[in-house]
């Protein structure tokens, strides 16, 4: 039940916070951080796309494109565990 409430709290967070979390998760995957836990490119893309919010310069959308391109370039084992 704690996980469910944590998920709901995360979804209620600001677009900026959720987008920043997606960027951090992406960085952990690229660095193969031992702290990445269950991180995955699929989760990064899902979180970032749900947190685009106002994107006047298009940089958030550009990040999302980068994540999708990384999925095509990274070996399967480096893409993380799908959530």
């Amino acid at each position: 039940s704690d996980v469910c409430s944590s998920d709901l709290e995360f979804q209620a967070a600001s677009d900026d916070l959720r987008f920043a979390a997606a960027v951090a998760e992406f960085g952990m995957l690229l660095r193969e951080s031992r702290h990445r836990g269950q991180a995955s490119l699929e989760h990064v893309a899902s979180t970032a796309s749900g947190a685009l919010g106002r994107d006047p310069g298009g940089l958030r959308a550009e990040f999302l494109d980068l994540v999708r391109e990384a999925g095509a370039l990274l070996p399967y084992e480096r893409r993380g565990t799908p959530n």
Side-chain angles (χ1 to χ4, degrees):
S1 166
D2 288 338
V3 171
C4 291
S5 64
S6 295
D7 285 344
L8 291 174
E9 290 172 13
F10 182 72
Q11 292 306 319
S14 71
D15 288 340
D16 290 342
L17 182 101
R18 289 183 292 121
F19 191 83
V23 172
E25 184 177 358
F26 185 58
M28 287 190 285
L29 284 168
L30 292 180
R31 292 181 48 102
E32 296 184 76
S33 170
R34 63 186 174 109
H35 302 289
R36 69 185 178 272
Q38 297 296 311
S40 71
L41 287 177
E42 179 181 297
H43 188 258
V44 170
S46 173
T47 301
S49 66
L52 289 177
R54 285 184 14 90
D55 189 19
L59 295 177
R60 290 183 181 200
E62 192 173 320
F63 171 76
L64 192 52
D65 289 341
L66 181 66
V67 170
R68 291 179 178 138
E69 288 177 26
L73 296 173
L74 288 175
Y76 183 75
E77 57 276 0
R78 295 240 353 244
R79 295 179 194 169
T81 306
N83 295 332

